[in-house]
Amino acid sequence: MGKTLIEISEVGPRDGLQNIAAIMPLKAKKAWITAMANAGVREIEVGSFVPARILPQLADTADVVAHALTLTNLTVAVLVPNYKGAENAVRAGVHKITIPLSASETHSLANVKRTHTQMLEEIQKITRLLKSLPKEQRPKFEGSISTAFGCTLEGPVPEKKILELATALMTAGCDEVGLSDTTGYANPVQIKRLVCAVKNTVGDDKLTGLHLHNTRGLGLANALAALEVGITTLDSSLGGLGGCPFAPGASGNIVTEDLVYMLESMGLDTGIDLNKLLASRQIVQSALPGETLFGFIPEAGLPLGYEMV
Ligand code: ZN
């Protein structure tokens, strides 16, 4: 019997790069994505279709997608904030589209200037676009509930609200929902409770992935809790790229290297070659001089006798 497969979705080229001031050259992005795919990463969120004036760091997303599509065994994912972004994503030929829906309406208005109702209408419009495509060209469509574990503007988010939004996303035509700890507020008990509640509401196979942050140091503990309640896909970022502006010294996203180490050392299979993954840091570091890369494993090294199976 094979080992349990845990999917790591690398979000560094999107989430990491959008949270730093420097703009990584296209050539380096391509090299980085290639190196990670060669290390065995099966899904990469390579960019976001947002106007270049808002996120100049991701202005070349269409070119990045075109390159990523040439790599074998890689799911090419992008984030889109609205219909226009989804149209561009479809035109680029991505495999997966994720749209964030903020659980906190205050956050949604601040972030995308839309209420929940307006966002859900936008999502329905995207669904119609995707349904108009031949099945084999249709990207997977995920609605990701951000600030699901608490919001910096509204504080705690009631569980009832998350369940309502998860149902609304599925009704609006998403294939799957995701939960995102955008603010790094979650703790392991809360993760288990909310994941189980959402799975019970929308179906076990309709929530498989979480996007966790390590802002308060609980990223890996939360990841482990998530696995225990059946989550099989975890987002993380190489070197925790992007950092966390509110917690100096803390990475924003979970560090991919540390997450892969934890999973592989527990006997779970990520399909990722940790040595190759560690080597790919060099590409990021030299393309972004002066940028801090995080990670315990890269600092401390692998334990003596550690073997990758
Ligand atoms: Zn993130």
Side-chain angles (χ1 to χ4, degrees):
M1 226 187 76
K3 295 191 291 179
T4 312
L5 186 74
I6 305 297
E7 187 102 44
I8 304 290
S9 180
E10 168 67 39
V11 298
R14 196 277 304 168
D15 197 333
L17 293 179
Q18 87 171 56
N19 285 301
I20 59 170
I23 297 178
M24 185 185 270
L26 177 60
K27 201 168 158 239
K29 289 186 184 180
K30 289 181 182 178
W32 177 18
I33 289 164
T34 303
M36 283 193 298
N38 287 341
V41 176
R42 293 184 183 89
E43 180 173 305
I44 304 180
E45 198 170 77
V46 300
S48 182
F49 284 102
V50 280
R53 69 188 151 76
I54 296 175
L55 283 178
Q57 301 97 316
L58 306 180
D60 55 6
T61 293
D63 296 322
V64 180
V65 168
H67 170 74
L69 288 172
T70 66
L71 304 169
T72 45
N73 299 325
L74 181 69
T75 299
V76 180
V78 293
L79 196 82
V80 305
N82 51 30
Y83 180 79
K84 179 94 192 114
E87 256 185 343
N88 288 330
V90 166
R91 199 169 300 133
V94 302
H95 302 129
K96 181 179 170 185
I97 293 176
T98 301
I99 188 159
L101 173 65
S102 189
S104 145
E105 200 149 46
T106 317
H107 184 265
S108 184
L109 284 165
N111 214 23
V112 289
K113 297 183 181 61
R114 284 197 175 91
T115 62
H116 285 155
T117 309
Q118 288 168 326
M119 274 305 283
L120 288 163
E121 280 165 7
E122 196 80 359
I123 290 165
Q124 282 168 356
K125 227 171 113 186
I126 297 173
T127 299
R128 284 197 289 275
L129 168 70
L130 300 183
K131 291 237 163 96
S132 74
L133 300 170
K135 219 171 182 176
E136 61 283 0
Q137 286 172 28
R138 212 178 284 166
K140 189 172 162 189
F141 187 28
E142 183 189 281
S144 178
I145 304 178
S146 53
T147 65
F149 299 90
C151 169
T152 48
L153 304 170
E154 282 188 9
V157 175
E159 187 176 297
K160 196 170 148 270
K161 183 88 228 164
I162 307 293
L163 301 182
E164 268 171 33
L165 291 176
T167 305
L169 282 170
M170 293 307 295
T171 309
C174 289
D175 298 312
E176 228 182 87
V177 298
L179 297 178
S180 181
D181 182 19
T182 321
T183 51
Y185 278 12
N187 66 66
V189 168
Q190 191 189 10
I191 293 273
K192 286 191 183 182
R193 195 174 54 227
L194 194 58
V195 167
C196 291
V198 173
K199 275 176 172 285
N200 281 335
T201 305
V202 295
D204 200 37
D205 58 335
K206 302 298 180 208
L207 168 65
T208 59
L210 291 193
H211 181 99
L212 300 170
H213 279 196
N214 195 38
T215 322
R216 291 174 178 76
L218 299 188
L220 287 184
N222 288 337
L224 186 56
L227 296 181
E228 289 177 1
V229 286
I231 290 297
T232 52
T233 300
L234 293 164
D235 289 2
S236 61
S237 163
L238 192 85
L241 190 71
C244 176
F246 315 108
S251 65
N253 298 293
I254 300 182
V255 175
T256 305
E257 302 88 309
D258 292 346
L259 178 61
V260 170
Y261 169 71
M262 178 180 85
L263 299 172
E264 291 282 337
S265 62
M266 288 168 61
L268 300 169
D269 184 13
T270 62
I272 295 173
D273 181 320
L274 196 44
N275 288 312
K276 284 188 185 168
L277 187 73
L278 288 166
S280 66
R281 281 169 73 94
Q282 197 47 51
I283 298 169
V284 179
Q285 195 68 85
S286 40
L288 299 170
E291 202 60 53
T292 308
L293 293 188
F294 300 90
F296 286 99
I297 286 302
E299 281 292 320
L302 293 169
L304 181 66
Y306 175 83
E307 260 179 67
M308 301 232 313
V309 191

